[in-house]
């Protein structure tokens, strides 16, 4: 087998595929209450930072307002997480020991 094939086979699925898995496993976000503390019906599945979304448990149901607040609050964390170096399999590389 060619090495590049093996590398591609272990990469994380795309955004849509990951969210589809969440909906399939946990249902639509709109069937849940927002976990942002407002008590409204949820609208989106939001990735819990600093997780990569590879598990259906890495998501929380949030209303649109709380989702935008959460993403804004975590902007600096998200920039840090997204800037971390990854290996060819998409896994984070430890930069300190």
């Amino acid at each position: 087998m060619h090495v590049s094939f093996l590398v591609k086979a272990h990469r994380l699925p795309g955004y849509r595929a990951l969210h589809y898995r969440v909906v399939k496993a946990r249902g639509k976000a709109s069937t849940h209450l927002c976990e942002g503390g407002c008590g409204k019906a949820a609208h989106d599945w939001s990735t819990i930072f600093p997780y990569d979304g590879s598990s259906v448990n890495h998501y929380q149901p949030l209303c649109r307002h709380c989702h935008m607040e959460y993403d804004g609050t975590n902007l600096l964390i998200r920039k840090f997480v997204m800037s971390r170096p990854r290996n060819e399999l998409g896994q984070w590389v430890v930069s300190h020991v």
Side-chain angles (χ1 to χ4, degrees):
M1 229 181 258
H2 194 269
V3 174
S4 65
F5 172 76
L6 292 174
V7 170
K8 289 178 183 177
H10 290 92
R11 287 194 179 150
L12 285 175
Y15 174 88
R16 285 181 183 241
L18 290 170
H19 278 76
Y20 174 77
R21 290 178 182 177
V22 176
V23 172
K24 188 173 179 181
R26 299 177 64 186
K28 292 182 177 183
S30 60
T31 64
H32 298 265
L33 288 177
C34 175
E35 291 184 5
C38 70
K40 296 180 183 176
H43 187 272
D44 304 315
W45 284 109
S46 172
T47 307
I48 301 169
F49 297 111
Y51 297 110
D52 62 4
S54 60
S55 167
V56 296
N57 295 318
H58 292 172
Y59 296 85
Q60 61 188 343
L62 296 176
C63 70
R64 184 57 54 92
H65 175 78
C66 290
H67 191 175
M68 296 301 110
E69 286 287 318
Y70 182 78
D71 283 353
T73 302
N74 290 288
L75 185 59
L76 293 176
I77 295 171
R78 191 165 30 143
K79 283 182 179 179
F80 168 75
V81 169
M82 298 308 285
S83 68
R84 288 180 67 184
R86 295 178 181 260
N87 65 18
E88 61 276 356
L89 298 177
Q91 301 161 328
W92 285 327
V93 176
V94 177
S95 57
H96 64 282
V97 179

